[in-house]
Amino acid sequence: MDKNINITVKVWRQKDRKTKGGFESYQLEGISQGSSFLEMLDILNEKLVNEGKEPVFFDHDCREGICGMCSLYIDGHPHGPDESITTCQLHMRKFDDGATITIEPWRSAGFPVIRDLVVDRTAYDKIIQAGGFVSVNTGGVPDGNTIPIPKKDADLAMDAAACIGCGACAAACKNGSAMLFVSAKVSQLALLPQGRVEAARRAKAMVAKMDELGFGNCTNTRACEAECPKDISISNIARLNREFIKAKLQD
């Protein structure tokens, strides 16, 4: 049975990109362990508003583990201490009565802080725009069953497509690398015949854009895989490297 707990939250507050930020502590009493982490933040903001103070800015949308917007660094882990979940799926039962919870935004050069816990993640959108798509002629949609695809390849493509682009991989990486994200987006198309036509251009363009946007290099520490809420495998990074090398050899 869930019980109520009293907690202290240390939250990163930052007015804008140029202003120096810092932690502020708040006391919360009677928080149900059945509440989600974002519901706890809602309660905190209601308390702050009632006290005439600025609420804490944080991102959220679906609250169902799909959109990836609820990107918070909680007690030293992207999305918190639980495994294979997003922040909105984290519940307060993971924390003990009297706990002090530290909440930060993503810490990565590719994700500058906009305000408080909100970061600019449009860098991932720009990487997708560089090559994460398939060009097709307009017209009737062909029957998917007309192109036979081995089940193993289809399963691997679907596993890669599970990436929600939340940015936890780059936030967890000591180098701020976006390789897991880029490799997942390349793999979901490289494994299917529909994606082979533009495979070489895609790999080069997305890697180039990733480097341009200031993300670091991959050194295979596997922190990205360990912290990914969708369990994306680093085997996709090996596939991206193969795709990139083949593209360069073609040149």
Side-chain angles (χ1 to χ4, degrees), residues 109-224:
F111 302 132
V113 175
I114 296 174
R115 184 164 184 177
D116 292 344
L117 304 174
V118 180
V119 299
D120 184 353
R121 290 184 294 125
T122 55
Y124 272 11
D125 296 329
K126 293 176 181 177
I127 293 173
I128 291 294
Q129 290 170 358
F133 55 86
V134 176
S135 297
V136 296
N137 294 324
T138 57
V141 178
D143 186 347
N145 293 327
T146 60
I147 305 177
I149 299 171
K151 186 178 187 304
K152 179 182 177 182
D153 292 344
D155 288 345
L156 288 173
M158 287 298 293
D159 289 343
C163 170
I164 57 177
C166 66
C169 51
C173 178
K174 66 178 183 179
N175 305 321
S177 174
M179 282 288 281
L180 190 67
F181 166 75
V182 176
S183 67
K185 297 308 177 184
V186 167
S187 290
Q188 72 184 61
L189 296 173
L191 287 160
L192 302 177
Q194 295 93 330
R196 293 311 310 168
V197 177
E198 298 169 305
R201 188 197 65 79
R202 176 182 303 112
K204 290 185 295 183
M206 294 182 75
V207 169
K209 181 59 68 173
M210 173 183 66
D211 292 341
E212 175 192 324
L213 293 170
F215 291 100
N217 295 318
C218 174
T219 49
N220 288 315
T221 62
R222 304 186 73 169
C224 56

Side-chain angles (χ1 to χ4, degrees), residues 51-90:
E51 294 173 354
K53 300 176 181 178
E54 278 282 336
V56 176
F57 286 74
F58 64 95
D59 264 336
H60 64 92
D61 190 4
C62 73
R63 299 204 178 197
E64 294 179 348
I66 299 171
C67 70
M69 290 186 67
C70 57
S71 305
L72 300 180
Y73 214 82
I74 305 164
D75 284 348
H77 294 276
H79 294 300
D82 212 343
E83 297 180 355
S84 304
I85 63 165
T86 54
T87 300
C88 62
Q89 295 172 306
L90 176 67

